[in-house]
């Protein structure tokens, strides 16, 4: 059976970074063949890259999260330099978050544009965070020509209509442990309805642990519960979700295929 790939986790965060051998062993035991650990600041990028370099099954992204106002601002040159590391697959986590920044600050939108421009220079996909900002997120992706690189809308919680617009721009939709929550009707609809060839799975660990671990620290091994919830919603087998989501990851990130393809059985 095809094994899973956790498309979005934070192995450098507290609770995971101090127990990496245990975390990676749990991945193996739960048929998770690889993961992408996500950069959220420039200051922490060296640690993210060091983790990816140390473990064959771990890849990385580099970027500055839209929530983080008081950190070094990225520029195209810096992002491109960090992305020369052979384990870097994507630019991000980037995007827009109007939940915490309700005045919709222009600095956040400009930071997003910088990431898109770097991704285009590198021809690498983007990892997008969008919260209460779907209209502006899609508009900026279109304005900046992000369809030429594509990427992931991660931890997707927007409507099916937004998902469909993102897919039209060449993006994949990554579903997190929220899909296992009973009251997540909008996420359920998206997980049921999007094309299987545009679906990815993730933990966003150490956050958003799926049922039966809800409320506890999350880790990449638990991505199997995300896949199981999606399979139940779509009324298909777990194996179909595992095969599709892992194949989609390798399609989006072909430079990972030589390592992760054999590890997941594709």
């Amino acid at each position: 059976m095809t094994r899973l790939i956790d498309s979005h986790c934070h192995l450098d965060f507290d609770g995971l970074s101090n127990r990496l051998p245990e975390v990676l062993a749990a991945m193996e035991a739960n048929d998770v063949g690889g993961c992408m650990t996500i950069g959220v600041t420039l200051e922490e990028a060296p640690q993210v890259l060091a983790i990816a370099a140390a473990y064959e099954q771990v890849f990385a992204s580099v970027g500055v999260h839209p929530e983080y106002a008081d950190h070094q601002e990225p520029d195209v040159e810096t992002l491109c330099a960090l992305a020369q590391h052979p384990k870097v697959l994507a630019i991000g986590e980037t995007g827009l978050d109007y939940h915490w920044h309700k005045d919709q600050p222009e600095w956040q939108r400009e930071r997003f544009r910088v990431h898109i421009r770097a991704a285009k220079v590198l021809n690498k996909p983007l990892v997008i965070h969008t919260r209460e900002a779907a209209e502006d997120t899609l508009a900026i992706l279109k304005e900046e020509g992000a369809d030429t690189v594509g990427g992931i809308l991660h931890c997707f919680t927007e409507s099916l209509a937004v998902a469909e617009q993102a897919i039209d721009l060449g993006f994949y939709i990554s579903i997190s442990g929220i899909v296992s929550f009973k009251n997540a009707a909008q996420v359920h609809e998206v997980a049921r309805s999007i094309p299987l060839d545009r679906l990815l799975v993730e933990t966003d660990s150490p956050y958003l642990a799926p049922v039966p671990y809800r409320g506890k620290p999350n880790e990449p091994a638990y991505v199997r519960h995300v896949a199981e919830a999606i399979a139940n919603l779509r009324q298909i087998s777990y194996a179909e979700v595992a095969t599709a989501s892992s194949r989609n990851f390798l399609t989006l990130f072909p430079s990972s295929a030589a390592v992760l393809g054999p590890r997941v059985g594709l």
Side-chain angles (χ1 to χ4, degrees), residues 6-220:
D6 182 356
S7 72
H8 194 112
C9 59
H10 298 280
L11 296 183
D12 64 310
F13 282 22
D14 290 347
L16 296 176
S17 63
N18 60 327
R19 47 189 285 274
L20 283 173
E22 177 187 344
V23 168
L24 294 170
M27 285 172 57
E28 289 293 317
N30 285 275
D31 289 326
V32 182
C35 65
M36 181 162 62
T37 188
I38 305 297
V40 295
T41 70
L42 296 180
E43 293 91 337
E44 293 162 357
Q47 184 179 0
V48 172
L49 297 179
I51 291 170
Y55 299 99
E56 180 188 55
Q57 68 270 52
V58 180
F59 287 81
S61 74
V62 291
V64 183
H65 193 288
E67 286 183 19
Y68 294 173
D70 299 323
H71 286 268
Q72 180 184 343
E73 280 297 324
D75 55 48
V76 170
E77 293 75 14
T78 301
L79 291 170
C80 287
L82 288 168
Q84 298 307 309
H85 191 286
K87 296 298 287 287
V88 171
L89 299 179
I91 298 300
E93 182 171 353
T94 184
L96 300 173
D97 192 310
Y98 293 168
H99 179 79
W100 297 111
H101 299 282
K102 298 183 187 303
D103 53 344
Q104 304 179 13
E106 184 56 37
W107 64 263
Q108 202 181 99
R109 294 190 286 270
E110 181 56 31
R111 179 190 286 179
F112 186 19
R113 293 180 189 276
V114 166
H115 283 80
I116 298 170
R117 291 165 189 167
K120 290 174 67 179
V121 170
L122 295 159
N123 195 32
K124 288 185 182 290
L126 290 149
V127 176
I128 305 295
H129 169 109
T130 182
R131 188 176 185 190
E132 298 177 19
E135 184 177 348
D136 281 2
T137 298
L138 290 169
I140 290 173
L141 290 173
K142 291 174 185 176
E143 290 167 11
E144 294 290 336
D147 59 315
T148 61
V149 293
I152 303 171
L153 266 68
H154 106 93
C155 192
F156 194 84
T157 56
E158 302 292 340
S159 68
L160 178 58
V162 171
E164 291 170 341
Q165 291 178 71
I167 289 168
D168 287 345
L169 288 171
F171 281 76
Y172 290 74
I173 305 300
S174 187
I175 302 296
S176 74
I178 293 173
V179 74
S180 68
F181 301 171
K182 289 182 179 179
N183 61 348
Q186 186 162 265
V187 176
H188 295 167
E189 181 185 23
V190 170
R192 272 194 301 265
S193 304
I194 62 171
L196 204 54
D197 65 1
R198 287 286 156 172
L199 172 72
L200 295 170
V201 292
E202 68 169 88
T203 58
D204 201 13
S205 50
Y207 309 116
L208 298 175
V211 174
Y213 300 100
R214 187 175 183 181
K216 298 177 181 179
N218 201 2
E219 59 181 87

Side-chain angles (χ1 to χ4, degrees), residues 1-2 4 30-31 224 227-228 231 236-243:
M1 181 185 294
T2 307
L4 293 164
N30 285 275
D31 289 326
R224 66 175 296 112
E228 288 169 354
I236 60 176
S237 69
Y238 169 86
E240 287 177 89
V241 175
T243 299

